[in-house]
Amino acid sequence: MPFSPIPRGVYPSVTSLDPKKLKEKGITLVLADLDNTLVPYKVLEPSPEVAAWMAALKEEGIDLFLLSNSRKPGRAQKFAQQVGIPYQGHSGKPKKAGYFKAMERMGRTPKETIMVGDQIFTDTLGANRAGVTPLLIKPIRLAGNPGRYIRYAAETPFRLLGGRRPFL
């Protein structure tokens, strides 16, 4: 499988990913990162817009699965239980094993799965390694950790390249 940090498009947020268009592309499973993808860091409740997007996925018959590297005890679990979706914490992204385990649990293949996340070197790289289509979104909020600014700066060339090859 390819060792590539380049996503299939860069999108403003998860809500810009139209569930109808995903379904038309044959997508039946969305693996999603938690922090800075579905909600800001430390937040346990989706915004009304994200909640509506999650409901629209369900209406289209697309399962949402929380694939998180979060090491905070119970964070991914609490969020997933609150919104009623399956989850996997400590997923080890960018290792492909976490992606395969999630797809196996959901009975899906890489061809019918996308990964939505805000980070190149975990979400996108891991998805590409597992043969899953990676869709990159802009992080919800960078504030609070100077290391994030450095990491996102290092990701800039890959974000620019990914923006030239949209999936939707």
Side-chain angles (χ1 to χ4, degrees):
M1 311 259 168
F3 185 85
S4 173
I6 302 171
R8 287 292 310 275
V10 180
Y11 305 89
S13 72
V14 293
T15 59
S16 62
L17 304 174
D18 184 336
K20 288 186 188 306
K21 289 182 181 177
L22 291 173
K23 187 68 172 185
E24 288 170 8
K25 293 271 194 177
I27 300 304
T28 61
L29 177 62
V30 174
L31 303 176
D33 181 49
L34 177 59
D35 292 319
N36 250 350
T37 299
L38 294 177
V39 294
Y41 284 93
K42 300 182 182 176
V43 174
L44 280 174
E45 193 172 301
S47 69
E49 295 83 11
V50 171
W53 176 77
M54 293 167 69
L57 285 175
K58 193 172 191 173
E59 285 176 23
E60 290 299 322
I62 299 172
D63 289 318
L64 179 61
F65 186 103
L66 182 60
L67 190 69
S68 177
N69 275 356
S70 180
R71 298 189 190 286
K72 295 192 168 108
R75 175 158 167 63
Q77 178 181 8
K78 285 177 189 172
F79 180 86
Q81 287 174 341
Q82 181 175 329
V83 298
I85 62 173
Y87 77 97
Q88 185 174 291
H90 304 289
S91 293
K93 297 177 290 185
K95 295 177 183 172
K96 54 188 174 179
Y99 294 84
F100 289 133
K101 183 178 178 183
M103 287 185 287
E104 182 179 330
R105 282 180 58 192
M106 300 303 290
R108 299 309 200 309
T109 64
K111 189 171 189 146
E112 57 196 340
T113 305
I114 61 168
M115 173 68 201
V116 179
D118 68 304
Q119 294 186 44
I120 292 284
F121 300 119
T122 54
D123 305 316
T124 298
L125 182 60
N128 274 326
R129 293 181 71 215
V132 170
T133 301
L135 305 183
L136 190 71
I137 63 141
K138 294 180 181 175
I140 294 171
R141 181 174 50 204
L142 288 178
N145 182 336
R148 285 187 203 128
Y149 292 102
I150 294 167
R151 184 178 63 237
Y152 285 115
E155 293 177 351
T156 298
F158 306 111
R159 289 175 182 278
L160 293 172
L161 288 170
R164 296 181 184 162
R165 39 181 295 217
F167 181 70
L168 297 176

PDB file of all heavy atoms in Angstrom, residues 127-139:
ATOM      1  N   ALA A 127      -4.239   6.321   6.608  1.00  0.00           N
ATOM      2  CA  ALA A 127      -5.293   5.917   5.670  1.00  0.00           C
ATOM      3  C   ALA A 127      -4.689   5.447   4.357  1.00  0.00           C
ATOM      4  O   ALA A 127      -5.064   4.392   3.830  1.00  0.00           O
ATOM      5  CB  ALA A 127      -6.263   7.072   5.438  1.00  0.00           C
ATOM      6  N   ASN A 128      -3.748   6.211   3.820  1.00  0.00           N
ATOM      7  CA  ASN A 128      -3.104   5.804   2.572  1.00  0.00           C
ATOM      8  C   ASN A 128      -2.411   4.454   2.723  1.00  0.00           C
ATOM      9  O   ASN A 128      -2.497   3.602   1.838  1.00  0.00           O
ATOM     10  CB  ASN A 128      -2.101   6.861   2.106  1.00  0.00           C
ATOM     11  CG  ASN A 128      -2.753   7.956   1.286  1.00  0.00           C
ATOM     12  OD1 ASN A 128      -3.696   7.723   0.554  1.00  0.00           O
ATOM     13  ND2 ASN A 128      -2.236   9.165   1.418  1.00  0.00           N
ATOM     14  N   ARG A 129      -1.753   4.242   3.843  1.00  0.00           N
ATOM     15  CA  ARG A 129      -1.064   2.962   4.076  1.00  0.00           C
ATOM     16  C   ARG A 129      -2.047   1.795   4.126  1.00  0.00           C
ATOM     17  O   ARG A 129      -1.720   0.684   3.728  1.00  0.00           O
ATOM     18  CB  ARG A 129      -0.264   3.023   5.379  1.00  0.00           C
ATOM     19  CG  ARG A 129       0.909   4.006   5.305  1.00  0.00           C
ATOM     20  CD  ARG A 129       1.706   4.043   6.576  1.00  0.00           C
ATOM     21  NE  ARG A 129       2.448   2.793   6.685  1.00  0.00           N
ATOM     22  CZ  ARG A 129       2.688   2.168   7.838  1.00  0.00           C
ATOM     23  NH1 ARG A 129       2.242   2.686   8.963  1.00  0.00           N
ATOM     24  NH2 ARG A 129       3.373   1.059   7.857  1.00  0.00           N
ATOM     25  N   ALA A 130      -3.268   2.055   4.606  1.00  0.00           N
ATOM     26  CA  ALA A 130      -4.281   1.000   4.723  1.00  0.00           C
ATOM     27  C   ALA A 130      -5.152   0.879   3.462  1.00  0.00           C
ATOM     28  O   ALA A 130      -6.048   0.046   3.420  1.00  0.00           O
ATOM     29  CB  ALA A 130      -5.170   1.279   5.939  1.00  0.00           C
ATOM     30  N   GLY A 131      -4.896   1.714   2.457  1.00  0.00           N
ATOM     31  CA  GLY A 131      -5.682   1.664   1.238  1.00  0.00           C
ATOM     32  C   GLY A 131      -7.021   2.361   1.338  1.00  0.00           C
ATOM     33  O   GLY A 131      -7.897   2.179   0.505  1.00  0.00           O
ATOM     34  N   VAL A 132      -7.183   3.182   2.378  1.00  0.00           N
ATOM     35  CA  VAL A 132      -8.408   3.931   2.625  1.00  0.00           C
ATOM     36  C   VAL A 132      -8.234   5.339   2.062  1.00  0.00           C
ATOM     37  O   VAL A 132      -7.164   5.928   2.176  1.00  0.00           O
ATOM     38  CB  VAL A 132      -8.692   3.997   4.151  1.00  0.00           C
ATOM     39  CG1 VAL A 132      -9.809   4.960   4.477  1.00  0.00           C
ATOM     40  CG2 VAL A 132      -8.974   2.610   4.692  1.00  0.00           C
ATOM     41  N   THR A 133      -9.271   5.891   1.460  1.00  0.00           N
ATOM     42  CA  THR A 133      -9.201   7.245   0.917  1.00  0.00           C
ATOM     43  C   THR A 133      -9.158   8.269   2.047  1.00  0.00           C
ATOM     44  O   THR A 133     -10.082   8.338   2.856  1.00  0.00           O
ATOM     45  CB  THR A 133     -10.424   7.533   0.013  1.00  0.00           C
ATOM     46  OG1 THR A 133     -10.432   6.585  -1.046  1.00  0.00           O
ATOM     47  CG2 THR A 133     -10.364   8.940  -0.558  1.00  0.00           C
ATOM     48  N   PRO A 134      -8.074   9.077   2.116  1.00  0.00           N
ATOM     49  CA  PRO A 134      -7.983  10.092   3.173  1.00  0.00           C
ATOM     50  C   PRO A 134      -8.520  11.441   2.713  1.00  0.00           C
ATOM     51  O   PRO A 134      -8.132  11.958   1.676  1.00  0.00           O
ATOM     52  CB  PRO A 134      -6.477  10.187   3.418  1.00  0.00           C
ATOM     53  CG  PRO A 134      -5.863   9.862   2.092  1.00  0.00           C
ATOM     54  CD  PRO A 134      -6.822   8.934   1.379  1.00  0.00           C
ATOM     55  N   LEU A 135      -9.442  12.006   3.481  1.00  0.00           N
ATOM     56  CA  LEU A 135      -9.939  13.345   3.228  1.00  0.00           C
ATOM     57  C   LEU A 135      -9.488  14.229   4.388  1.00  0.00           C
ATOM     58  O   LEU A 135      -9.779  13.935   5.543  1.00  0.00           O
ATOM     59  CB  LEU A 135     -11.469  13.349   3.118  1.00  0.00           C
ATOM     60  CG  LEU A 135     -12.086  12.391   2.100  1.00  0.00           C
ATOM     61  CD1 LEU A 135     -13.599  12.577   2.057  1.00  0.00           C
ATOM     62  CD2 LEU A 135     -11.475  12.546   0.730  1.00  0.00           C
ATOM     63  N   LEU A 136      -8.780  15.263   4.061  1.00  0.00           N
ATOM     64  CA  LEU A 136      -8.220  16.145   5.090  1.00  0.00           C
ATOM     65  C   LEU A 136      -9.117  17.342   5.288  1.00  0.00           C
ATOM     66  O   LEU A 136      -9.603  17.931   4.322  1.00  0.00           O
ATOM     67  CB  LEU A 136      -6.826  16.605   4.660  1.00  0.00           C
ATOM     68  CG  LEU A 136      -6.004  17.332   5.714  1.00  0.00           C
ATOM     69  CD1 LEU A 136      -5.542  16.358   6.798  1.00  0.00           C
ATOM     70  CD2 LEU A 136      -4.791  17.987   5.074  1.00  0.00           C
ATOM     71  N   ILE A 137      -9.369  17.683   6.534  1.00  0.00           N
ATOM     72  CA  ILE A 137     -10.116  18.902   6.810  1.00  0.00           C
ATOM     73  C   ILE A 137      -9.206  19.886   7.543  1.00  0.00           C
ATOM     74  O   ILE A 137      -8.207  19.499   8.147  1.00  0.00           O
ATOM     75  CB  ILE A 137     -11.396  18.624   7.634  1.00  0.00           C
ATOM     76  CG1 ILE A 137     -11.060  18.064   8.998  1.00  0.00           C
ATOM     77  CG2 ILE A 137     -12.323  17.704   6.899  1.00  0.00           C
ATOM     78  CD1 ILE A 137     -11.962  18.613  10.040  1.00  0.00           C
ATOM     79  N   LYS A 138      -9.579  21.141   7.476  1.00  0.00           N
ATOM     80  CA  LYS A 138      -8.823  22.152   8.208  1.00  0.00           C
ATOM     81  C   LYS A 138      -9.120  21.975   9.683  1.00  0.00           C
ATOM     82  O   LYS A 138     -10.266  21.735  10.062  1.00  0.00           O
ATOM     83  CB  LYS A 138      -9.205  23.540   7.726  1.00  0.00           C
ATOM     84  CG  LYS A 138      -8.792  23.761   6.291  1.00  0.00           C
ATOM     85  CD  LYS A 138      -9.159  25.125   5.785  1.00  0.00           C
ATOM     86  CE  LYS A 138      -8.722  25.233   4.337  1.00  0.00           C
ATOM     87  NZ  LYS A 138      -9.141  26.480   3.716  1.00  0.00           N
ATOM     88  N   PRO A 139      -8.097  22.077  10.530  1.00  0.00           N
ATOM     89  CA  PRO A 139      -8.337  21.912  11.967  1.00  0.00           C
ATOM     90  C   PRO A 139      -9.313  22.951  12.494  1.00  0.00           C
ATOM     91  O   PRO A 139      -9.301  24.102  12.073  1.00  0.00           O
ATOM     92  CB  PRO A 139      -6.958  22.072  12.589  1.00  0.00           C
ATOM     93  CG  PRO A 139      -6.107  22.685  11.552  1.00  0.00           C
ATOM     94  CD  PRO A 139      -6.717  22.404  10.223  1.00  0.00           C
TER      95      PRO A 139
END
